Amino acid sequence: MNIILFLPTLLIVTMCNHSLAEEIPLKNGIIYEIKHNNKISGHLIGVSHILPKELDTPPSTLVAEVISKSDGLFTEIGIIQFITNPKYFLKKFDAAKKGNTIFDAISRNQFTYLENQLTPMFGPDTRKLLEENHPFNIGGALFSLCAAEVQLSTTETELAILAASEDKPIMALETVDEQISSLPPLNTKFWARYLAEISAYVARPDCVKLQEISYKKMAESINNGDLNGLELLINNSYSTLNVKELDKFFISGRNNKFSEKILREINSGKNYVFAVGASHLMGSDGIIKNLESHGITITKK
């Protein structure tokens, strides 16, 4: 048994419940125009990798327009490959273990505790699941205990469908190897801390309610194009579920490479749409600040 759960910050620190009733009105979302030498050179779109379907609005007319006029769409990893060949990603996570096992990452006592938490969901396969999967994906399975009945939608898939309908190429800002290599090695104390943090959170009796509130706030921030509000929401969420250490590797640690790739494409003279997790755009080490430091003009739409 294997699980494939890519969990950037916006999945881990923002949460949901299947009974959300109030719809979020369609907005333009987080979208920025890129200008180089006074010429429009593309657009940045800040996405949520996962939202409950009832809160995930379809791409707006503006988003559809910029994709239609672009030379193609870039997402973080190859979204089409992820959809069509998920086993490839599993093989890459297996390779990232570099011969280590789960017991190089956590103690046997912690393993037993995780097994007890996950058994209601995975039954007799739980031990095998824990032994076979990377701790990153185990964290995703653990976190889903607070959102097991949620039907999720991913913005990248919607954008890819939109780009394909316009016969636009769909490309990746990074390889799977590059994404996974941004994570700490298996034989470090990081993974024990990471899994203990999520374990403690999902053990809270109010975790489902907290997910409902946080996901709704996140959807409102994204649909309103409020990047500052989203950054505040994420920073405040660390007091409830502190995954800041993961973000240092998995968010901040990838921003420079993303920025370098985007700069190369800007300098190619093409007009591309770059869709990344909104958290990659935020802060002093985010993509927006990185591009601006190279003389690129970034304007909110």
Side-chain angles (χ1 to χ4, degrees), residues 163-181:
S165 72
E166 296 282 348
D167 293 322
K168 304 295 182 181
I170 303 164
M171 298 154 285
L173 287 171
E174 64 185 347
T175 66
V176 178
D177 287 309
E178 286 171 335
Q179 184 183 83
I180 295 175
S181 68

Side-chain angles (χ1 to χ4, degrees), residues 46-63:
V47 304
S48 165
H49 293 296
I50 294 179
L51 271 180
K53 286 187 177 180
E54 57 264 52
L55 293 183
D56 185 25
T57 59
S60 68
T61 302
L62 175 61
V63 171

Side-chain angles (χ1 to χ4, degrees), residues 15-62:
M15 313 137 216
C16 63
N17 179 270
H18 66 285
S19 62
L20 295 170
E22 186 175 342
E23 293 186 0
I24 305 296
L26 179 62
K27 304 288 185 181
N28 285 332
I30 296 174
I31 181 168
Y32 290 83
E33 180 184 83
I34 301 170
K35 271 193 175 182
H36 181 46
N37 295 330
N38 295 317
K39 175 187 173 184
I40 295 177
S41 303
H43 289 81
L44 284 170
I45 297 179
V47 304
S48 165
H49 293 296
I50 294 179
L51 271 180
K53 286 187 177 180
E54 57 264 52
L55 293 183
D56 185 25
T57 59
S60 68
T61 302
L62 175 61

